[in-house]
Structures are given as structure tokens and as C-alpha cells.
Amino acid sequence: KNEVEQSPQNLTAQEGEFITINCSYSVGISALHWLQQHPGGGIVSLFMLSSGKKKHGRLIATINIQEKHSSLHITASHPRDSAVYICAGGVYNNNDMRFGAGTRLTVKP
Amino acid sequence: NAGVTQTPKFQVLKTGQSMTLQCAQDMNHNSMYWYRQDPGMGLRLIYYSASEGTTDKGEVPNGYNVSRLNKREFSLRLESAAPSQTSVYFCASILGTASYNEQFFGPGTRLTVL
């Protein structure tokens, strides 16, 4: 079993829909990272959180430390949101990071 | 600032050949990382360097060596390439440690070993 599990693996939505991507982890982490990988392959960091909730534009990330679960929400989705979204845990007291396999999101116009 | 740069962008090798992937960052970050990304799998850590002169093995270090040449540069060497090393390789850097800081990624190197 992977230490960081994401669901769903693939997600197709219509423009305007509310989207949720889930991440569960079993490794002890100090922070949970959400990354976006563009169709061209580049990876950018969206959020880093260790508790509660963060919001950036139409993106919202939440984390429940007790349940070892995080969610990434996209409101009013747009075709430009189409990408692979990756969840990663910064391992506690360590330089290591453990990554989920990613969720491929396609938003259709 | 260029951020994190990697060279080359693409490479094709024959089994047994050697090559070095180069990575540099201009953000004065302490920690640098090499990952590989394979279809259907998450990014996996090959090696990391918490500071100049130090390197540590990650999850999948076999078949690779690294050098932290200075604070800016962190190279990954394949001494004798194997088809199992066909992958996309990403370099990343962080100001502090992975736990508490944002990672910045290079554009990736797509390597094919025939």
C-alpha cells in the first residue's frame, strides 16, 4: 500500500463544476503539499499546509490531521484547470517527500 | 531569476552508456533533490542533498550517483544505463526542509534507454 493515496485517478468535469480531489496518507508528515503538473510536464507548488484550510483564487485545500486526509477543491472549474494534481507529504523530521500517483483532471468546455 | 534549470531536456541512450544530468538553481536554496517519475506512479526520490557537500539516498538510489558541486548545482549520474531507468527526471530545490517549505521544480529531463 502506498504511503500517499489519491482518488480519483482520473476525473472529467464540465466547465463550471465544483471539483474535489482526495488524498490520504499513512506516513507521519509535517506538511501536506499540493502540486499541479501541466500538460507540458512542468510542476508547480499550489499549497503547503499543516492544519486547517488555505484558499488561493478558485482553489481551496483542507487538511484533517487526525484523519490523515486532505482535499483539494476547485470551484467554477475551467478548461485551463486541466492538469495532473499531485499530493505529497513532507515526512516528519526528515528531508524526504512522499508523493501520490496524481489525479488527472480534464475539464471540458 | 531562472529558478531551477535542467539539462538536457531529452536524451536517448543505449544500454550500458553513461551520462550526467545537470541541475542548477539560483534561489540560494539549501536543499536539492532528484526524482524520477514513471507512468502510473508518483514521483520517487532518488537522492537529495540537504546542504553543499552532503548527499543522502532516497527511495530508489540504485544505479545512480550524485554530486553536490556547490550550493547551486546538483548533478545525477547514470554510470551504466539500463532500460529500467527510462523515465522523466525532475530536479527540485527548497530553501529549508521538505516538511516546511515550498519545493521548486525544474522542467524535467525525458530519458529513454534502449
Side-chain angles (χ1 to χ4, degrees):
Chain A
K1 191 180 188 303
N2 290 340
E3 292 172 301
V4 179
E5 297 269 2
Q6 285 184 240
S7 62
Q9 274 187 296
N10 294 285
L11 181 56
T12 300
Q14 289 296 130
E15 184 172 356
E17 285 185 0
F18 180 84
I19 287 160
T20 297
I21 298 170
N22 295 300
C23 175
S24 296
Y25 55 92
S26 57
V27 64
I29 66 167
S30 293
L32 193 288
H33 301 248
W34 281 101
L35 311 169
Q36 181 191 54
Q37 186 167 25
H38 299 293
I43 301 173
V44 295
S45 178
L46 296 175
F47 293 104
M48 185 189 62
L49 63 166
S50 54
S51 65
K53 177 176 163 178
K54 285 191 176 180
K55 186 175 189 290
H56 182 73
R58 294 180 295 106
L59 273 61
I60 303 165
T62 63
I63 188 168
N64 184 317
I65 300 291
Q66 284 74 27
E67 295 186 6
K68 294 189 173 181
H69 182 269
S70 177
S71 293
L72 176 69
H73 306 286
I74 305 176
T75 62
S77 59
H78 191 276
R80 66 174 174 266
D81 296 325
S82 297
V84 175
Y85 292 85
I86 301 169
C87 153
V91 178
Y92 182 74
N93 232 15
N94 195 310
N95 280 302
D96 202 353
M97 289 257 282
R98 298 300 164 97
F99 294 81
T103 295
R104 183 174 299 276
L105 171 65
T106 303
V107 182
K108 295 185 175 180
Chain B
N1 284 355
V4 181
T5 57
Q6 289 183 238
T7 55
K9 283 191 167 52
F10 301 94
Q11 183 72 49
V12 179
L13 294 177
K14 293 181 180 177
T15 297
Q17 287 185 315
S18 62
M19 79 160 295
T20 299
L21 280 63
Q22 306 286 356
C23 174
Q25 51 88 12
D26 61 1
M27 296 172 283
N28 203 36
H29 286 172
N30 299 321
S31 300
M32 297 185 73
Y33 300 76
W34 275 107
Y35 296 100
R36 60 178 288 172
Q37 185 179 42
D38 302 297
M41 302 183 73
L43 288 154
R44 291 183 292 168
L45 180 64
I46 304 171
Y47 272 94
Y48 67 93
S49 169
S51 61
E52 183 180 348
T54 68
T55 60
D56 287 286
K57 294 179 181 179
E59 189 182 352
V60 288
N62 291 344
Y64 305 95
N65 286 301
V66 290
S67 295
R68 182 75 182 268
L69 304 168
N70 47 55
K71 194 169 187 179
R72 289 187 65 246
E73 297 171 295
F74 188 38
S75 62
L76 178 72
R77 182 157 178 87
L78 287 70
E79 291 290 351
S80 179
S84 61
Q85 294 178 305
T86 294
S87 189
V88 181
Y89 292 84
F90 288 95
C91 177
S93 71
I94 297 179
L95 180 61
T97 67
S99 298
Y100 298 105
N101 290 281
E102 179 184 356
Q103 273 201 327
F104 291 82
F105 287 84
T109 296
R110 188 174 293 274
L111 174 67
T112 302
V113 183
L114 302 175

